[in-house]
């Protein structure tokens, strides 16, 4: 969430935009050089569940022209978080830098497209990105959709795995899942206090507390393993909210977590986040895992990467473990935040916080406990 001061500054800047500026935006967005803006309005859009770091706002801008034509754009505002290094896993300005760098100008065939960027501005305290407004033509995903997206991610990562050099921009994160681990220390140091809450005890799950603490103590094992793997350019946040289908085209949004990370790490978000929203069962989780992983490896092969699939599995499982540790902190915070409970219930389409806590426990058994056991076996074999 942006601060009240940020919102006030944004409102003032939006109010200062002129008819000429809106006319130019309408012409660029519509491709019609003769449009003149008559009026305009904007509405805030939800960034969706998962924007826990904060500092971002989304607006849909609708411009009405003198020809009775209307066009809409999306304005994404990234608010400065002071004292944040460019290499930080959540660097506030990264998406702005990605789009203006040209890094995504020519994505490999049969992977993804990106939203058209009409304009961008750096105000110092925030960055504004004016982009196309894309309507997703898929309401729900089937396993075939997951197969398709996983293969596209494999081709995208595989393309960079086969290049002689990776991008070296200082604003790209490195080893993203390892980089988020230091920020979890306070939560694990205060785990006993956090577990005084009945909801937290239900979400952990409590019978696995010792195993979870042991995973935390061995976190460097998983971090070190990731550091030894082949590296590639990753989006790192590819899940349903950030993947839009436009007929045969697939648009990948929100490059704020772009990183140079290990092969296999790209799949972590696609599986880990989906488990929260697709009606979790252990059987479905296993099926999703197998489907996504196999098609990701197939995509790597299609891009020309010939490495050992075991390395990919190590990257995936170790990344899942580290993101699973982050999930302990996130889930307990969400359940403790009474002000956000109504939004939490809407997000999960549930009526009971106890049911949400049980869901979190079920997901944790898979994406943290089961993945840690598999990762340990892979690393010891």
């Amino acid at each position: 969430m942006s601060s009240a001061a940020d919102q006030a500054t944004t409102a003032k800047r939006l109010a200062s935009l002129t008819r000429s500026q809106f006319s130019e935006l309408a012409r660029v967005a519509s491709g019609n050089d003769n449009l003149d803006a008559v009026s305009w309005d904007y509405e805030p859009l939800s960034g969706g569940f998962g924007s826990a770091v904060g500092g971002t706002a989304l607006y849909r801008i609708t411009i009405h022209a003198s020809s009775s034509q209307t066009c809409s754009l999306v304005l994404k505002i990234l608010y400065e978080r002071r004292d944040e290094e460019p290499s930080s896993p959540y660097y506030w300005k990264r998406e702005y830098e990605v789009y203006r760098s040209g890094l995504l100008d020519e994505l490999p065939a049969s992977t993804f497209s990106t939203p058209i960027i009409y304009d961008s501005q750096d105000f110092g305290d925030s960055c504004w990105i004016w982009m196309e407004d894309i309507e997703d033509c898929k309401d729900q995903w089937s396993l075939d959709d997951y197969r398709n997206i996983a293969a596209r991610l494999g081709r995208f990562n595989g393309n960079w795995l086969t290049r002689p050099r990776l991008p070296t921009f200082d604003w790209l994160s490195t080893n993203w899942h390892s980089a988020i681990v230091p920020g979890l220390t306070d939560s694990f140091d205060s785990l006993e206090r956090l577990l005084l809450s009945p909801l937290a005890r239900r979400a952990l799950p409590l019978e696995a507390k010792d195993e979870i603490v042991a995973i935390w103590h061995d976190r460097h094992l998983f971090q070190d393993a990731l550091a030894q793997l082949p590296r590639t350019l990753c989006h790192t946040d590819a899940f349903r909210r950030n993947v839009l289908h436009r007929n045969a085209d697939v648009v990948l949004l929100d490059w704020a977590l772009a990183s140079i990370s290990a092969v296999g790490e790209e799949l972590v978000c696609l599986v880990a986040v989906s488990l929260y929203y697709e009606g979790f069962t252990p059987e479905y989780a296993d099926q999703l895992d197998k489907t996504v992983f196999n098609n990701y490896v197939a995509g790597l092969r299609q891009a020309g990467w010939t490495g050992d699939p075991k390395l990919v599995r190590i990257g995936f499982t170790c990344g899942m473990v580290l993101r699973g540790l982050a999930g302990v902190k996130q889930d307990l915070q969400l359940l403790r935040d009474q002000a956000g409970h109504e939004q939490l219930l809407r997000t999960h389409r549930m009526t009971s916080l106890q049911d949400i806590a049980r869901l979190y426990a079920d997901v944790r058994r898979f994406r943290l406990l089961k993945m840690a056991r598999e990762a340990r076996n892979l690393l010891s074999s």
Side-chain angles (χ1 to χ4, degrees), residues 32-100:
N32 183 347
D33 292 337
N34 297 315
L35 283 189
D36 289 312
V38 174
S39 62
W40 48 88
D41 52 68
Y42 62 90
E43 60 176 323
L45 300 173
S46 170
F49 184 71
S51 53
V53 177
T56 301
L58 283 171
Y59 297 90
R60 174 174 287 114
I61 312 294
T62 303
I63 304 172
H64 307 273
S66 55
S67 60
S68 299
Q69 183 175 346
T70 63
C71 66
S72 63
L73 309 84
V74 169
L75 169 61
K76 185 167 190 177
I77 303 177
L78 315 175
Y79 294 106
E80 179 187 22
R81 291 189 294 272
R82 294 183 180 179
D83 303 321
E84 200 169 62
E85 293 295 325
S87 60
S88 161
Y90 298 106
Y91 180 48
W92 72 276
K93 202 174 181 180
R94 182 171 294 122
E95 186 169 18
Y96 170 82
E97 299 288 8
V98 167
Y99 285 133
R100 80 188 194 105

Side-chain angles (χ1 to χ4, degrees), residues 108-141:
S110 301
T111 58
F112 303 95
S113 62
T114 58
I116 299 171
I117 305 302
Y118 300 125
D119 195 11
S120 60
Q121 299 149 299
D122 184 352
F123 293 102
D125 60 354
S126 65
C127 292
W128 287 25
I129 305 172
W130 297 87
M131 63 180 72
E132 68 174 316
D133 188 6
I134 303 169
E135 183 177 355
D136 192 0
C137 68
K138 277 190 181 289
D139 292 330
Q140 297 196 0
W141 282 16

Side-chain angles (χ1 to χ4, degrees), residues 13-35:
R13 284 185 179 141
L14 282 170
S16 70
L17 293 174
T18 65
R19 176 176 174 177
S20 174
Q21 288 171 302
F22 278 113
S23 294
E24 183 58 32
L25 284 168
R27 291 166 189 165
V28 173
S30 67
N32 183 347
D33 292 337
N34 297 315
L35 283 189

Side-chain angles (χ1 to χ4, degrees), residues 220-369:
H220 298 300
L221 171 70
F222 308 108
Q223 291 176 294
D224 292 344
L226 289 173
Q228 303 303 313
L229 296 175
R231 299 197 302 165
T232 183
L233 176 66
C234 292
H235 178 278
T236 323
D237 203 19
F239 71 106
R240 184 176 168 188
R241 190 196 76 198
N242 291 334
V243 179
L244 303 183
H245 291 81
R246 181 171 52 188
N247 299 320
D249 187 22
V250 181
V251 184
L252 191 52
L253 305 173
D254 197 346
W255 292 79
L257 305 187
S259 65
I260 303 298
S261 293
V263 63
E265 282 191 77
E266 187 76 277
L267 287 183
V268 172
C269 186
L270 184 62
V271 175
V273 177
S274 298
L275 293 179
Y276 281 97
Y277 307 112
E278 301 299 329
F280 179 89
T281 65
E283 296 76 19
Y284 176 78
D286 282 330
Q287 186 179 24
L288 180 65
D289 174 2
K290 182 178 179 180
T291 297
V292 164
F293 183 79
N294 289 342
N295 283 275
Y296 176 75
V297 173
L300 292 173
R301 294 286 187 251
Q302 291 162 6
W305 188 71
T306 58
D308 187 349
K310 179 182 176 181
L311 301 179
V312 186
R313 193 67 190 179
I314 290 172
F316 172 61
T317 55
C318 289
M320 283 283 280
V321 170
L322 299 181
R323 200 154 188 149
L325 289 172
V328 172
K329 175 179 179 178
Q330 175 181 285
D331 292 350
L332 297 188
Q333 284 183 337
L334 288 169
L335 291 170
R336 284 165 53 86
D337 178 19
Q338 294 185 4
H341 281 171
E342 287 189 16
Q343 177 60 43
L344 191 62
L345 291 167
R346 286 194 296 271
T347 297
H348 287 290
R349 300 187 295 277
M350 292 183 176
T351 58
S352 164
L353 290 172
Q354 287 74 22
D355 288 343
I356 292 177
R358 279 191 288 270
L359 167 67
Y360 289 173
D362 288 341
V363 172
R364 184 152 296 108
R365 290 184 182 98
F366 183 88
R367 81 168 191 167
L368 177 57
L369 300 178

